């Protein structure tokens, strides 16, 4: 729902009685007290894109609230009242101005925490005392260390640390018993390798006048993808134009560096080149872009991304069943793509069925999306190996999901 007036009108008419979900984005500067009329039923509240800097102390009256999104609001502190919410398990405060996360601001049932793109320098030890924690998004902050107790988080499977200030790998990461998906690019511990990868390719960058841009092929969270033709008559390519300077997993620069460093592999979607920014360009010159091979039509994602309920696990189409030979071929190709990345000293970081495009008839597959990939070359060899072993957990989850649907 977009406007406060529309919300109020619906509330007064009784149309919202018993509502379990509300989305309000209307330039709100204060929490609308009218919402308390739904305190007994509301489970999902989305207040993203307002002007809120605080939440009321009696928010805990929302006894059923499980999910709270409040991204793109000028909070400077994670509201402490969240720590007293009895059922709250998903908390999303992306792109606010948060500097402080107090020890008592984390709900006991916390399962999924999004603090991407804030200014956080330190996290409280209580984060390691949330046994249901499964997904932790901390990219693009100012962190140099993690709470020690996170090392023992029994269910923490997905961790995003990209774009912070880590000079070495936080030791807690290697101890996490269930970790399977990790992004850590764009930190001082990886930056040198990323810069080298970008510099090495700078001379081979394409200019925008080398390409004619055509229709939009699709868009994801981080970019718009167009079909484009090289003006020299070479085969068509895909052009990915990044939407913003930061993605949920890191930065476009890190994604491009990883893609270039990964090099070519028949089952990995890696860029052919970056597009040189240029003032005369048809696209906004401040936007970063890269050129990718054009995938043949007929490929489809193996699954959809996780839902609020599945949290770290992909969602497969109802009744999805794969023919055994196709499933085996798919898994062999994905394993070979992962082995290639590991051989290059890298992590994919987002090894998921939703990042695999495949042809269900043949089993031919391409692993895409290096947006969470990390270059591990600057880490000690033993750590590199441990991280790659960790990523094999993601591969095992994928294999189990596919095998469970193979007839
Ligand atoms: N190389 C390509 N060739 C043809 N079509 C492509 C190509 N890459 C992407 N697409 C199309 O664009 C859509 C969006 O791509 P994708 O999901 O990779 O976006 P993204 O923004 O890069 O990813 P993310 O959401 O993970 O940040 C795909 O579903 C597909 O239809």
């Amino acid at each position: 729902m977009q406007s406060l007036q529309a919300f109020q009108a619906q509330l007064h008419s009784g149309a919202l009685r018993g509502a379990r979900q509300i989305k309000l984005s209307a330039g709100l500067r204060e929490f609308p007290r009218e919402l308390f009329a739904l305190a007994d039923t509301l489970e999902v509240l989305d207040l993203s894109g307002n002007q809120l800097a605080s939440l009321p102390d009696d928010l805990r009256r929302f006894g059923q609230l499980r999910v709270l999104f409040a991204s793109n609001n000028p909070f400077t502190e994670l509201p402490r009242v969240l720590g007293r919410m009895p059922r709250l398990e998903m908390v999303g405060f992306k792109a606010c101005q948060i500097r402080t996360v107090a020890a008592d601001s984390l709900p006991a049932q916390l399962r999924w925490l999004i603090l991407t793109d804030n200014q956080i320098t330190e996290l409280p030890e209580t984060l390691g005392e949330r046994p249901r924690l499964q997904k932790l998004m901390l990219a693009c902050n100012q962190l140099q260390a993690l709470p020690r107790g996170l090392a023992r988080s029994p269910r923490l499977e997905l961790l995003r640390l990209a774009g912070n200030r880590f000079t070495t790998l936080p030791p807690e990461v290697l101890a996490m018993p269930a970790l399977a998906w990790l992004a850590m690019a764009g930190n001082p511990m990886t930056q040198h390798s990323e810069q080298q990868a970008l510099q090495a390719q700078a001379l081979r960058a394409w200019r925008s006048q080398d390409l004619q841009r055509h229709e939009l092929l699709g868009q994801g969270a981080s970019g718009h993808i167009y079909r484009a033709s090289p003006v020299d008559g070479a085969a068509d390519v895909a052009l990915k134009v990044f939407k913003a300077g930061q993605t949920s997993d890191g930065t476009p620069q890190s994604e491009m560096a990883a893609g270039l460093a990964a090099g070519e592999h028949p089952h990995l979607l890696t860029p052919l080149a970056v597009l040189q920014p240029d003032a005369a360009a048809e696209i906004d010159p401040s936007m970063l872009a890269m050129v990718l091979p054009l995938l043949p039509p007929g490929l489809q994602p193996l699954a959809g991304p996780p839902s609020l309920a599945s949290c770290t696990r992909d969602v497969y189409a109802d009744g999805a069943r794969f023919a055994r030979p196709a499933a085996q071929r798919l898994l062999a190709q994905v394993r070979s793509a992962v082995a290639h990345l590991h051989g290059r000293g890298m992590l994919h970081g987002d090894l998921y069925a939703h990042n695999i495009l495949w042809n269900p008839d043949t089993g031919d597959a391409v692993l895409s999306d290096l947006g969470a990939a990390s270059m591990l070359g600057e880490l000690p060899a033993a750590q590199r190996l441990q991280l790659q072993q960790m990523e094999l957990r993601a591969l095992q989850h994928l294999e189990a999901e596919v095998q469970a649907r193979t007839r």
Side-chain angles (χ1 to χ4, degrees):
M1 187 183 308
Q2 287 309 307
S3 85
L4 186 57
Q5 287 78 5
F7 164 69
Q8 285 166 334
Q10 283 198 29
L11 197 63
H12 291 140
S13 73
L16 292 178
R17 191 167 303 129
R20 294 197 296 184
Q21 299 199 13
I22 291 287
K23 178 174 165 60
L24 258 180
S25 174
L28 302 174
R29 293 184 177 275
E30 281 181 20
F31 185 87
R33 301 286 313 173
E34 298 92 325
L35 274 174
F36 280 99
L38 306 175
D40 292 339
T41 57
L42 208 60
E43 294 178 22
V44 180
L45 176 58
D46 187 347
L47 293 174
S48 297
N50 286 296
Q51 290 297 317
L52 299 172
S54 64
L55 295 176
D57 270 349
D58 52 350
L59 193 74
R60 61 179 184 278
R61 283 171 46 203
F62 287 88
Q64 305 301 317
L65 197 69
R66 289 184 295 104
V67 177
L68 175 64
F69 292 110
S71 299
N72 290 294
N73 277 290
F75 290 97
T76 56
E77 180 176 19
L78 189 66
R80 295 170 77 164
V81 65
L82 302 187
R84 303 198 297 276
M85 304 291 292
R87 291 215 169 170
L88 191 61
E89 57 178 24
M90 181 181 177
V91 173
F93 281 67
K94 183 180 171 181
C96 297
Q97 295 157 29
I98 295 177
R99 292 175 184 278
T100 308
V101 180
D104 56 1
S105 63
L106 302 170
Q109 298 299 319
L110 188 65
R111 186 175 176 218
W112 182 340
L113 177 62
I114 303 173
L115 292 173
T116 310
D117 192 11
N118 280 287
Q119 293 146 35
I120 301 163
T121 52
E122 206 180 337
L123 290 165
E125 274 300 326
T126 47
L127 189 56
E129 297 158 13
R130 296 293 177 271
R132 295 187 73 223
L133 188 65
Q134 198 172 334
K135 189 164 182 169
L136 181 54
M137 315 284 278
L138 301 172
C140 301
N141 276 287
Q142 315 279 327
L143 294 166
Q144 291 179 289
L146 291 176
R148 277 200 234 132
L150 268 186
R152 292 182 305 278
S153 270
R155 296 194 191 166
L156 184 56
E157 293 189 322
L158 187 145
L159 177 62
R160 297 293 182 236
L161 299 178
N164 275 281
R165 295 199 173 168
F166 292 99
T167 52
T168 55
L169 184 70
E172 294 77 14
V173 169
L174 294 175
M176 292 172 183
L179 188 67
W181 296 277
L182 170 71
M184 46 173 270
N187 278 286
M189 64 179 158
T190 57
Q191 232 158 25
H192 181 65
S193 316
E194 290 166 26
Q195 277 161 4
Q196 271 190 328
L198 288 174
Q199 277 160 11
Q201 297 285 331
L203 291 174
R204 291 176 43 201
W206 292 27
R207 296 167 310 158
S208 53
Q209 59 263 44
D210 297 336
L211 275 180
Q212 200 185 354
R213 187 162 58 115
H214 304 297
E215 77 278 6
L216 186 71
L217 293 171
Q219 61 169 305
S222 66
H224 292 101
I225 292 108
Y226 300 91
R227 185 173 68 85
S229 313
V231 291
D232 66 5
D236 280 1
V237 292
L239 180 66
K240 171 167 176 172
V241 182
F242 287 94
K243 285 180 179 170
Q246 290 171 351
T247 67
S248 59
D249 297 329
T251 62
Q253 284 87 349
S254 296
E255 177 171 342
M256 294 196 298
L260 295 167
E264 282 180 48
H265 182 276
H267 304 296
L268 202 52
L269 183 62
T270 52
L272 299 166
V274 296
L275 196 73
Q276 212 172 57
D278 110 43
E282 203 189 314
I283 56 170
D284 177 349
S286 67
M287 302 300 266
L288 291 162
M290 64 184 182
V291 184
L292 296 154
L294 184 67
L295 292 171
L299 293 185
Q300 60 187 62
L302 180 58
S307 64
L308 290 186
S310 71
C311 188
T312 53
R313 299 308 169 88
D314 273 345
V315 178
Y316 287 75
D318 276 348
R321 289 286 173 272
F322 311 131
R324 187 164 302 278
Q328 283 170 346
R329 192 172 169 84
L330 159 90
L331 289 177
Q333 294 184 356
V334 172
R335 277 187 216 112
S336 116
V338 174
H340 172 85
L341 283 175
H342 288 187
R344 293 265 172 140
M346 299 176 65
L347 275 189
H348 185 279
D350 211 15
L351 180 54
Y352 266 113
H354 72 259
N355 284 327
I356 296 169
L357 296 156
W358 83 312
N359 179 332
D361 296 328
T362 63
D364 283 321
V366 181
L367 175 61
S368 71
D369 193 355
L370 291 168
S374 313
M375 300 172 68
L376 309 178
E378 291 161 70
L379 266 50
Q383 289 188 357
R384 205 154 59 219
L385 267 177
Q386 278 176 279
L387 289 176
Q388 293 178 339
Q389 289 291 326
M390 175 278 297
E391 183 154 75
L392 296 185
R393 274 190 208 123
L395 189 57
Q396 283 160 8
H397 293 317
L398 174 74
E399 287 172 345
E401 289 162 5
V402 171
Q403 277 154 9
R405 292 168 177 79
T406 299
R407 46 165 195 259

CSV table of all heavy atoms in Angstrom, one decimal, residues 216-227 237-243 247-249 255 269 290-297 299 301 350 354-355 357 368-371, ligand 1:
chain,number,residue,atom,x,y,z
A,216,LEU,N,15.8,-5.3,-23.7
A,216,LEU,CA,16.0,-5.8,-22.4
A,216,LEU,C,15.7,-7.3,-22.3
A,216,LEU,O,14.6,-7.7,-22.7
A,216,LEU,CB,15.1,-5.1,-21.4
A,216,LEU,CG,15.3,-5.4,-19.9
A,216,LEU,CD1,16.6,-4.8,-19.4
A,216,LEU,CD2,14.1,-4.8,-19.1
A,217,LEU,N,16.7,-8.1,-21.9
A,217,LEU,CA,16.5,-9.6,-21.9
A,217,LEU,C,15.9,-10.0,-20.5
A,217,LEU,O,15.1,-10.9,-20.4
A,217,LEU,CB,17.8,-10.3,-22.0
A,217,LEU,CG,18.4,-10.2,-23.4
A,217,LEU,CD1,19.8,-10.8,-23.4
A,217,LEU,CD2,17.6,-10.9,-24.5
A,218,GLY,N,16.2,-9.2,-19.5
A,218,GLY,CA,15.7,-9.5,-18.2
A,218,GLY,C,16.4,-8.6,-17.2
A,218,GLY,O,17.3,-7.9,-17.5
A,219,GLN,N,15.9,-8.7,-15.9
A,219,GLN,CA,16.7,-8.0,-14.9
A,219,GLN,C,16.6,-8.8,-13.6
A,219,GLN,O,15.7,-9.6,-13.3
A,219,GLN,CB,16.1,-6.6,-14.7
A,219,GLN,CG,14.6,-6.6,-14.2
A,219,GLN,CD,14.2,-5.2,-13.8
A,219,GLN,OE1,14.9,-4.6,-12.9
A,219,GLN,NE2,13.2,-4.6,-14.4
A,220,GLY,N,17.7,-8.6,-12.8
A,220,GLY,CA,17.8,-9.3,-11.5
A,220,GLY,C,17.9,-8.2,-10.5
A,220,GLY,O,17.6,-7.0,-10.8
A,221,ALA,N,18.3,-8.6,-9.3
A,221,ALA,CA,18.4,-7.6,-8.2
A,221,ALA,C,19.5,-6.6,-8.5
A,221,ALA,O,19.4,-5.4,-8.1
A,221,ALA,CB,18.7,-8.3,-6.9
A,222,SER,N,20.6,-7.0,-9.2
A,222,SER,CA,21.7,-6.1,-9.3
A,222,SER,C,21.8,-5.4,-10.7
A,222,SER,O,22.6,-4.4,-10.8
A,222,SER,CB,23.0,-6.9,-9.0
A,222,SER,OG,23.3,-7.8,-10.0
A,223,GLY,N,21.1,-5.9,-11.7
A,223,GLY,CA,21.4,-5.3,-13.0
A,223,GLY,C,20.3,-5.5,-14.0
A,223,GLY,O,19.4,-6.3,-13.8
A,224,HIS,N,20.3,-4.7,-15.1
A,224,HIS,CA,19.5,-4.9,-16.3
A,224,HIS,C,20.4,-5.6,-17.3
A,224,HIS,O,21.5,-5.2,-17.5
A,224,HIS,CB,19.0,-3.5,-16.8
A,224,HIS,CG,18.1,-2.8,-15.9
A,224,HIS,ND1,18.4,-1.8,-15.1
A,224,HIS,CD2,16.7,-3.0,-15.7
A,224,HIS,CE1,17.4,-1.4,-14.4
A,224,HIS,NE2,16.3,-2.1,-14.8
A,225,ILE,N,19.8,-6.6,-18.0
A,225,ILE,CA,20.6,-7.3,-19.0
A,225,ILE,C,19.9,-7.1,-20.4
A,225,ILE,O,18.8,-7.4,-20.5
A,225,ILE,CB,20.7,-8.8,-18.6
A,225,ILE,CG1,21.6,-8.9,-17.4
A,225,ILE,CG2,21.4,-9.6,-19.7
A,225,ILE,CD1,20.9,-9.3,-16.1
A,226,TYR,N,20.7,-6.6,-21.3
A,226,TYR,CA,20.3,-6.3,-22.6
A,226,TYR,C,21.0,-7.2,-23.7
A,226,TYR,O,22.1,-7.6,-23.4
A,226,TYR,CB,20.6,-4.8,-23.0
A,226,TYR,CG,20.0,-3.8,-22.1
A,226,TYR,CD1,20.7,-3.4,-21.0
A,226,TYR,CD2,18.8,-3.3,-22.4
A,226,TYR,CE1,20.2,-2.4,-20.1
A,226,TYR,CE2,18.2,-2.3,-21.5
A,226,TYR,CZ,18.9,-1.9,-20.4
A,226,TYR,OH,18.4,-0.9,-19.6
A,227,ARG,N,20.3,-7.4,-24.8
A,227,ARG,CA,21.0,-8.0,-25.9
A,227,ARG,C,21.8,-6.9,-26.6
A,227,ARG,O,21.3,-5.7,-26.7
A,227,ARG,CB,20.0,-8.6,-26.9
A,227,ARG,CG,20.6,-9.4,-28.0
A,227,ARG,CD,19.6,-10.1,-28.8
A,227,ARG,NE,18.7,-9.2,-29.6
A,227,ARG,CZ,18.9,-8.7,-30.8
A,227,ARG,NH1,20.0,-9.0,-31.4
A,227,ARG,NH2,18.0,-7.9,-31.3
A,237,VAL,N,26.0,-10.4,-28.0
A,237,VAL,CA,26.4,-10.6,-26.6
A,237,VAL,C,25.3,-10.1,-25.7
A,237,VAL,O,24.3,-9.6,-26.2
A,237,VAL,CB,27.7,-9.8,-26.3
A,237,VAL,CG1,28.9,-10.3,-27.1
A,237,VAL,CG2,27.5,-8.3,-26.6
A,238,ALA,N,25.5,-10.3,-24.4
A,238,ALA,CA,24.6,-9.7,-23.4
A,238,ALA,C,25.4,-8.6,-22.7
A,238,ALA,O,26.6,-8.7,-22.5
A,238,ALA,CB,24.2,-10.8,-22.4
A,239,LEU,N,24.6,-7.5,-22.4
A,239,LEU,CA,25.2,-6.4,-21.7
A,239,LEU,C,24.6,-6.3,-20.3
A,239,LEU,O,23.3,-6.1,-20.3
A,239,LEU,CB,25.1,-5.1,-22.5
A,239,LEU,CG,25.7,-3.9,-21.9
A,239,LEU,CD1,27.2,-3.9,-21.9
A,239,LEU,CD2,25.2,-2.6,-22.7
A,240,LYS,N,25.3,-6.4,-19.2
A,240,LYS,CA,24.7,-6.2,-17.9
A,240,LYS,C,25.1,-4.8,-17.4
A,240,LYS,O,26.3,-4.5,-17.2
A,240,LYS,CB,25.2,-7.3,-16.9
A,240,LYS,CG,24.8,-7.0,-15.5
A,240,LYS,CD,25.0,-8.1,-14.5
A,240,LYS,CE,24.6,-7.7,-13.1
A,240,LYS,NZ,24.6,-8.9,-12.2
A,241,VAL,N,24.1,-4.0,-17.2
A,241,VAL,CA,24.3,-2.6,-16.6
A,241,VAL,C,23.9,-2.7,-15.2
A,241,VAL,O,22.7,-3.0,-14.9
A,241,VAL,CB,23.4,-1.6,-17.4
A,241,VAL,CG1,23.7,-0.2,-16.9
A,241,VAL,CG2,23.7,-1.7,-18.9
A,242,PHE,N,24.8,-2.4,-14.3
A,242,PHE,CA,24.5,-2.5,-12.9
A,242,PHE,C,23.5,-1.4,-12.5
A,242,PHE,O,23.6,-0.3,-13.0
A,242,PHE,CB,25.8,-2.4,-12.0
A,242,PHE,CG,26.6,-3.7,-12.1
A,242,PHE,CD1,27.6,-3.8,-13.1
A,242,PHE,CD2,26.4,-4.8,-11.3
A,242,PHE,CE1,28.4,-5.0,-13.2
A,242,PHE,CE2,27.1,-5.9,-11.4
A,242,PHE,CZ,28.1,-6.0,-12.3
A,243,LYS,N,22.7,-1.7,-11.5
A,243,LYS,CA,21.7,-0.8,-11.1
A,243,LYS,C,22.2,0.3,-10.1
A,243,LYS,O,21.8,1.4,-10.1
A,243,LYS,CB,20.5,-1.5,-10.4
A,243,LYS,CG,19.6,-2.3,-11.3
A,243,LYS,CD,18.5,-2.9,-10.5
A,243,LYS,CE,17.6,-3.7,-11.4
A,243,LYS,NZ,16.6,-4.5,-10.7
A,247,THR,N,25.4,-4.0,-4.3
A,247,THR,CA,24.4,-5.0,-4.5
A,247,THR,C,24.2,-5.6,-3.1
A,247,THR,O,24.9,-5.2,-2.1
A,247,THR,CB,24.8,-6.1,-5.4
A,247,THR,OG1,25.9,-6.8,-4.9
A,247,THR,CG2,25.3,-5.5,-6.8
A,248,SER,N,23.3,-6.6,-3.0
A,248,SER,CA,23.1,-7.2,-1.6
A,248,SER,C,24.3,-8.0,-1.2
A,248,SER,O,24.5,-8.3,0.0
A,248,SER,CB,21.8,-8.0,-1.6
A,248,SER,OG,21.9,-9.0,-2.5
A,249,ASP,N,25.1,-8.4,-2.2
A,249,ASP,CA,26.2,-9.3,-1.9
A,249,ASP,C,27.6,-8.6,-1.9
A,249,ASP,O,28.6,-9.2,-1.5
A,249,ASP,CB,26.3,-10.5,-2.9
A,249,ASP,CG,25.0,-11.3,-2.8
A,249,ASP,OD1,24.4,-11.4,-1.7
A,249,ASP,OD2,24.6,-11.9,-3.8
A,255,GLU,N,32.3,-7.9,-8.3
A,255,GLU,CA,31.6,-8.9,-9.2
A,255,GLU,C,32.4,-9.0,-10.5
A,255,GLU,O,32.7,-10.1,-11.1
A,255,GLU,CB,30.2,-8.6,-9.4
A,255,GLU,CG,29.5,-9.5,-10.4
A,255,GLU,CD,28.0,-9.4,-10.5
A,255,GLU,OE1,27.4,-8.8,-9.6
A,255,GLU,OE2,27.4,-9.9,-11.5
A,269,LEU,N,29.2,-18.7,-16.3
A,269,LEU,CA,28.9,-17.5,-17.1
A,269,LEU,C,29.8,-16.4,-16.6
A,269,LEU,O,29.6,-15.9,-15.5
A,269,LEU,CB,27.4,-17.1,-16.9
A,269,LEU,CG,27.0,-15.9,-17.7
A,269,LEU,CD1,27.1,-16.1,-19.2
A,269,LEU,CD2,25.6,-15.5,-17.3
A,290,MET,N,29.1,-4.6,-17.9
A,290,MET,CA,30.0,-5.6,-18.4
A,290,MET,C,29.4,-6.4,-19.5
A,290,MET,O,28.1,-6.5,-19.6
A,290,MET,CB,30.6,-6.5,-17.3
A,290,MET,CG,29.6,-7.4,-16.6
A,290,MET,SD,30.4,-8.3,-15.3
A,290,MET,CE,29.0,-9.2,-14.6
A,291,VAL,N,30.2,-7.0,-20.4
A,291,VAL,CA,29.8,-7.7,-21.5
A,291,VAL,C,29.9,-9.2,-21.2
A,291,VAL,O,30.9,-9.7,-20.8
A,291,VAL,CB,30.6,-7.4,-22.8
A,291,VAL,CG1,30.1,-8.1,-24.0
A,291,VAL,CG2,30.8,-5.9,-23.0
A,292,LEU,N,28.8,-9.9,-21.5
A,292,LEU,CA,28.7,-11.4,-21.2
A,292,LEU,C,28.4,-12.1,-22.4
A,292,LEU,O,27.7,-11.6,-23.3
A,292,LEU,CB,27.6,-11.7,-20.1
A,292,LEU,CG,27.8,-11.1,-18.8
A,292,LEU,CD1,26.4,-10.9,-18.1
A,292,LEU,CD2,28.7,-12.0,-17.9
A,293,PRO,N,28.8,-13.4,-22.5
A,293,PRO,CA,28.3,-14.2,-23.7
A,293,PRO,C,26.8,-14.2,-23.6
A,293,PRO,O,26.2,-14.3,-22.5
A,293,PRO,CB,28.9,-15.6,-23.4
A,293,PRO,CG,29.9,-15.4,-22.3
A,293,PRO,CD,29.6,-14.2,-21.6
A,294,LEU,N,26.2,-14.2,-24.8
A,294,LEU,CA,24.7,-14.3,-24.8
A,294,LEU,C,24.3,-15.8,-24.7
A,294,LEU,O,24.7,-16.6,-25.5
A,294,LEU,CB,24.2,-13.8,-26.2
A,294,LEU,CG,22.7,-13.7,-26.4
A,294,LEU,CD1,22.0,-12.7,-25.5
A,294,LEU,CD2,22.4,-13.4,-27.8
A,295,LEU,N,23.5,-16.1,-23.7
A,295,LEU,CA,23.1,-17.5,-23.4
A,295,LEU,C,22.0,-17.9,-24.5
A,295,LEU,O,21.2,-17.0,-24.9
A,295,LEU,CB,22.5,-17.6,-22.0
A,295,LEU,CG,23.5,-17.5,-20.9
A,295,LEU,CD1,22.8,-17.4,-19.6
A,295,LEU,CD2,24.5,-18.6,-20.9
A,296,PRO,N,22.0,-19.1,-24.9
A,296,PRO,CA,21.0,-19.5,-25.9
A,296,PRO,C,19.6,-19.5,-25.3
A,296,PRO,O,19.5,-19.8,-24.1
A,296,PRO,CB,21.5,-21.0,-26.2
A,296,PRO,CG,22.3,-21.4,-25.1
A,296,PRO,CD,22.9,-20.2,-24.5
A,297,PRO,N,18.6,-19.3,-26.1
A,297,PRO,CA,17.2,-19.3,-25.5
A,297,PRO,C,16.9,-20.8,-25.1
A,297,PRO,O,17.6,-21.7,-25.5
A,297,PRO,CB,16.3,-18.9,-26.7
A,297,PRO,CG,17.2,-19.0,-27.9
A,297,PRO,CD,18.6,-19.0,-27.5
A,299,LEU,N,17.2,-21.9,-21.9
A,299,LEU,CA,17.7,-22.2,-20.6
A,299,LEU,C,16.8,-21.6,-19.6
A,299,LEU,O,16.3,-20.5,-19.7
A,299,LEU,CB,19.1,-21.6,-20.4
A,299,LEU,CG,20.2,-22.2,-21.3
A,299,LEU,CD1,21.6,-21.6,-20.9
A,299,LEU,CD2,20.3,-23.7,-21.2
A,301,PRO,N,16.1,-21.2,-15.1
A,301,PRO,CA,16.7,-21.4,-13.7
A,301,PRO,C,16.2,-22.7,-13.2
A,301,PRO,O,15.0,-23.1,-13.3
A,301,PRO,CB,16.1,-20.2,-12.9
A,301,PRO,CG,15.5,-19.2,-13.9
A,301,PRO,CD,15.2,-20.0,-15.1
A,350,ASP,N,27.6,-18.1,-3.8
A,350,ASP,CA,26.2,-18.1,-3.9
A,350,ASP,C,25.7,-19.3,-4.8
A,350,ASP,O,24.9,-19.2,-5.7
A,350,ASP,CB,25.8,-16.8,-4.7
A,350,ASP,CG,24.4,-16.3,-4.2
A,350,ASP,OD1,23.9,-16.8,-3.2
A,350,ASP,OD2,23.8,-15.4,-4.9
A,354,HIS,N,19.1,-21.4,-8.0
A,354,HIS,CA,18.5,-20.3,-8.7
A,354,HIS,C,19.6,-19.5,-9.5
A,354,HIS,O,19.2,-18.7,-10.3
A,354,HIS,CB,17.8,-19.3,-7.7
A,354,HIS,CG,18.6,-18.5,-6.8
A,354,HIS,ND1,18.8,-18.9,-5.5
A,354,HIS,CD2,19.4,-17.4,-7.0
A,354,HIS,CE1,19.6,-18.0,-4.9
A,354,HIS,NE2,20.0,-17.1,-5.8
A,355,ASN,N,20.8,-19.9,-9.3
A,355,ASN,CA,21.9,-19.3,-10.1
A,355,ASN,C,22.4,-20.3,-11.2
A,355,ASN,O,23.4,-20.0,-11.8
A,355,ASN,CB,23.1,-18.9,-9.2
A,355,ASN,CG,22.7,-17.6,-8.5
A,355,ASN,OD1,22.0,-16.7,-9.0
A,355,ASN,ND2,23.2,-17.4,-7.3
A,357,LEU,N,21.4,-22.0,-14.7
A,357,LEU,CA,20.5,-22.0,-15.9
A,357,LEU,C,20.7,-23.3,-16.6
A,357,LEU,O,21.8,-23.6,-16.9
A,357,LEU,CB,20.8,-20.7,-16.8
A,357,LEU,CG,20.5,-19.4,-16.0
A,357,LEU,CD1,21.3,-18.3,-16.7
A,357,LEU,CD2,19.1,-19.1,-16.1
A,368,SER,N,25.8,-19.2,-13.0
A,368,SER,CA,26.0,-17.8,-13.2
A,368,SER,C,26.1,-17.1,-11.9
A,368,SER,O,26.2,-17.7,-10.9
A,368,SER,CB,24.7,-17.3,-14.0
A,368,SER,OG,23.6,-17.3,-13.2
A,369,ASP,N,26.1,-15.7,-12.0
A,369,ASP,CA,26.0,-14.8,-10.9
A,369,ASP,C,27.3,-14.9,-10.0
A,369,ASP,O,27.2,-15.6,-8.9
A,369,ASP,CB,24.8,-15.0,-10.1
A,369,ASP,CG,24.6,-13.9,-9.1
A,369,ASP,OD1,25.5,-13.0,-9.0
A,369,ASP,OD2,23.5,-13.8,-8.4
A,370,LEU,N,28.3,-14.2,-10.3
A,370,LEU,CA,29.5,-14.1,-9.5
A,370,LEU,C,29.4,-12.9,-8.5
A,370,LEU,O,30.4,-12.4,-8.1
A,370,LEU,CB,30.7,-14.1,-10.4
A,370,LEU,CG,31.0,-15.4,-11.1
A,370,LEU,CD1,32.0,-15.3,-12.1
A,370,LEU,CD2,31.4,-16.5,-10.1
A,371,GLY,N,28.2,-12.5,-8.3
A,371,GLY,CA,28.0,-11.3,-7.4
A,371,GLY,C,28.5,-11.5,-6.0
A,371,GLY,O,28.7,-10.5,-5.3
B,1,LIG,N1,24.2,-13.8,-20.5
B,1,LIG,C1,22.8,-13.7,-20.7
B,1,LIG,N2,22.3,-14.0,-21.9
B,1,LIG,C2,20.9,-14.0,-22.0
B,1,LIG,N3,20.1,-13.6,-21.0
B,1,LIG,C3,20.6,-13.3,-19.9
B,1,LIG,C4,22.0,-13.3,-19.6
B,1,LIG,N4,22.2,-13.0,-18.3
B,1,LIG,C5,21.0,-12.7,-17.8
B,1,LIG,N5,20.0,-12.9,-18.7
B,1,LIG,C6,18.6,-12.7,-18.5
B,1,LIG,O1,18.4,-11.7,-17.5
B,1,LIG,C7,17.7,-12.2,-16.4
B,1,LIG,C8,18.2,-11.6,-15.1
B,1,LIG,O2,19.5,-12.0,-14.9
B,1,LIG,P1,20.1,-12.2,-13.5
B,1,LIG,O3,19.1,-12.9,-12.6
B,1,LIG,O4,21.4,-12.9,-13.7
B,1,LIG,O5,20.3,-10.7,-13.0
B,1,LIG,P2,21.3,-10.1,-12.1
B,1,LIG,O6,20.9,-8.7,-11.7
B,1,LIG,O7,22.7,-10.2,-12.7
B,1,LIG,O8,21.3,-11.1,-10.9
B,1,LIG,P3,21.0,-11.0,-9.3
B,1,LIG,O9,19.5,-10.8,-9.1
B,1,LIG,O10,21.5,-12.3,-8.7
B,1,LIG,O11,21.8,-9.8,-8.8
B,1,LIG,C9,17.8,-13.7,-16.5
B,1,LIG,O12,16.7,-14.3,-15.9
B,1,LIG,C10,17.9,-13.9,-18.0
B,1,LIG,O13,16.6,-13.9,-18.5
